[in-house]
Amino acid sequence: MQGKIVKGIAGFYYVHVVESGIYECKAKGVFRKDKIKPLVGDNVEILVLNEQEKEGNITDILPRKNTLIRPAVANIDQALVVFALQQPTPHLNLLDRFIAMMEYHEIPPVLLFNKEDLDEELHREYIRSVYHATGYPMVFTSVKLDDRLSQVREVIQGKITAIAGPSGVGKSSIINLLQSNVSMEIGELSDKIKRGKHTTRHSELITINEDTYIMDTPGFSSLYTLDIEAEQLRFYFAEFREYEGMCRFNGCNHIHEPGCSVKSAVESGVIHRSRYDNYVLMFDELKGKKPY
Ligand code: GDP
Ligand code: ZN
């Protein structure tokens, strides 16, 4: 039988099998010889030992789409980067760091701006203009207004979505609302998982429907220090990429070089200045970090 690991705790893995429920499994498969550890998000083959008690063994790990080391998770399809439009006002420099980090890990970002009900100054239009050229999907929500989460449901459908963002922006509120129509089958069976609830927090997949999961990854949000060379940074700004090779100098970093096509795009308003300024800030920081 095949399933997906939704949680791992103290040598036990909780494997969600569509239409059967969650099995408590140990890792007994041949992959142990290769020192491969199962990860939350892994698709696995299990052997059921006791159907009544929902116990089994993981016998195989299917090929991974991607892997993150910290937090240790596999097969993330996208990241939902959550900020608020107000309370707290969005810190776009922090957002651009999150985005660059996702790009570095090759995890496509979806930008979610919450608390739209508080957005009397229509900050939303400014945000739209800043991120328009990136091409990232943008969703504006409010957990206080009816029906606002339908767009979120659409973008997460059929995927594993990791959630990131500073605290206080509404991540837990959004997850709770998304979970509110989780089917009975899944609701009941997740009691099995709850037993281990009050131990240290681990990464966990929250089942939204049978093929849709939210990855609640403690520590994911704080991982925004980029360990890269400054000269690599431009590749993690999506809207800069189409200008690669179009500047006067080969390998132009789009900083002080003359004849820079990215700087021209900023001047003409195609690339937003907020994004460019944050790029320059991050570039200078990375430059200042000398390797020993
Ligand atoms: P988290 O730290 O990102 O998980 O944020 P929470 O979900 O705990 O929300 C922080 C606070 O913002 C709580 O008081 C929520 O009730 C409130 N909140 C969350 N979403 C909204 C929203 O869309 N509108 C308003 N007005 N408040 C919200
Ligand atoms: Zn350039």
Side-chain angles (χ1 to χ4, degrees), residues 247 252-254 260-262:
C247 304
C252 179
N253 281 307
H254 319 315
C260 172
S261 59
V262 166

Side-chain angles (χ1 to χ4, degrees), residues 82 86-88 114-118 141-145 163 165-176:
V82 183
Q86 291 290 345
Q87 299 183 26
N114 189 38
K115 307 201 188 185
E116 200 180 7
D117 55 300
L118 302 177
T141 60
S142 163
V143 304
K144 310 278 178 192
L145 302 176
I163 291 217
S167 64
V169 296
K171 296 185 298 299
S172 325
S173 312
I174 290 168
I175 293 174
N176 285 342

Side-chain angles (χ1 to χ4, degrees), residues 234 243 246-249 251-255 257-263:
R234 66 180 189 273
Y243 298 95
M246 291 174 65
C247 304
R248 187 179 308 163
F249 293 100
C252 179
N253 281 307
H254 319 315
I255 304 283
E257 301 90 334
C260 172
S261 59
V262 166
K263 277 192 287 181

Side-chain angles (χ1 to χ4, degrees), residues 8 41 47 57 104 106 115-116 118 166 197 209 219 235 246 267 274 292:
L47 180 71
N57 279 336
Y104 172 69
E106 295 178 27
K115 307 201 188 185
E116 200 180 7
L118 302 177
K197 195 115 194 172
N209 62 46
F235 300 114
M246 291 174 65
E267 291 308 324
S274 163
Y292 292 96

Side-chain angles (χ1 to χ4, degrees), residues 118-129:
L118 302 177
D119 188 32
E120 281 160 10
E121 292 142 49
L122 297 183
H123 210 166
R124 170 185 137 150
E125 297 316 315
Y126 174 73
I127 300 268
R128 258 194 217 289
S129 68

